[in-house]
Amino acid sequence: SGVKVLIDSKKPRTAKPDSGLHTLEFCLNCPDPHLEGTQTMALGAVHGPTEYRVSGDLVMMVPNDIAGARLLNVEELVGRVALVDRGVVPLVDKVLAAQRAGAIGVVIADDGNCTDLYECGRVGSPKHGGFSGRDPWQLWMKVEIPSLLVMADVGDRLKRMMKLERIYIPGIGEQWAPSLRRR
């Protein structure tokens, strides 16, 4: 994809320590997103790993929200960071699917239901310490990789940077997938 991301458990300077806000850094065709990338805030999971610093290439999960279908691009996720759309599937299921495929981290793109202050309804918010805080912690016991929820506009920007295109997959529908055209 050419997009490299850094998922870091460190808190942004402007965030309260217990807010669940973390840092996502990303760049296009650069070796180190921390040195050359764009930095944005993201909402971290309440459960799962608490200390992490993971950097890798970003790959879109197909199907994009993993609803009702098996993952079609498992081999592309090994050793990389998965990008997945929020949708209707529980976020823990998305993270576990990426982890089973060999991903080292997950970036979840909101579907527009979060406000610009990361107030995401039942999913969570900074005042709840992050996302999925209402989930029973037992659901997250097997999660070993970090995950961050980014605003819809950040998710859209990442997809544009990845040069994805919309394709139709029978039985699944329209999906974002890597462009098959020569670059």
Side-chain angles (χ1 to χ4, degrees):
S1 74
V3 176
K4 189 175 280 275
V5 296
L6 172 66
I7 298 174
D8 199 332
S9 60
K10 92 175 170 202
K11 309 287 184 196
R13 278 186 292 255
T14 58
K16 293 179 183 173
D18 60 350
S19 69
L21 291 172
H22 298 274
T23 304
L24 174 72
E25 298 176 61
F26 57 93
C27 58
L28 180 62
N29 299 324
C30 77
D32 185 352
H34 183 65
L35 296 177
E36 304 176 51
T38 299
Q39 188 178 81
T40 188
M41 281 195 278
L43 194 61
V46 172
H47 309 291
T50 55
E51 295 288 322
Y52 49 84
R53 185 176 174 89
V54 172
S55 183
D57 293 326
L58 192 63
V59 175
M60 188 79 209
M61 289 175 73
V62 180
N64 302 154
D65 65 358
I66 73 163
R70 72 187 200 315
L71 209 47
L72 300 178
N73 62 333
V74 171
E75 63 286 341
E76 293 176 21
L77 293 167
V78 176
R80 296 189 172 117
V81 177
L83 176 63
V84 63
D85 288 336
R86 181 172 161 188
V88 298
V89 173
L91 300 182
V92 67
D93 293 345
K94 295 172 189 289
V95 174
L96 286 170
Q99 179 176 293
R100 281 191 300 274
I104 58 174
V106 179
V107 175
I108 302 163
D110 182 52
D111 53 12
N113 284 315
C114 294
T115 70
D116 57 359
L117 300 174
Y118 285 95
E119 294 294 330
C120 301
R122 290 189 51 79
V123 168
S125 69
K127 71 179 174 224
H128 293 109
F131 72 83
S132 294
R134 294 182 184 197
D135 289 355
W137 62 270
Q138 295 90 337
L139 295 176
W140 286 82
M141 284 179 59
K142 293 181 180 167
V143 173
E144 298 173 359
I145 61 174
S147 54
L148 295 177
L149 176 67
V150 297
M151 302 302 294
D153 63 328
V154 174
D156 291 344
R157 181 174 176 197
L158 291 169
K159 290 172 193 171
R160 284 192 306 275
M161 290 172 68
M162 293 169 71
K163 296 179 176 55
L164 300 174
E165 66 180 328
R166 296 293 281 174
I167 62 168
Y168 178 79
I169 300 175
I172 298 174
E174 290 278 322
Q175 299 291 307
W176 289 108
S179 176
L180 299 176
R181 296 187 196 104
R182 291 184 179 257
R183 297 190 176 144

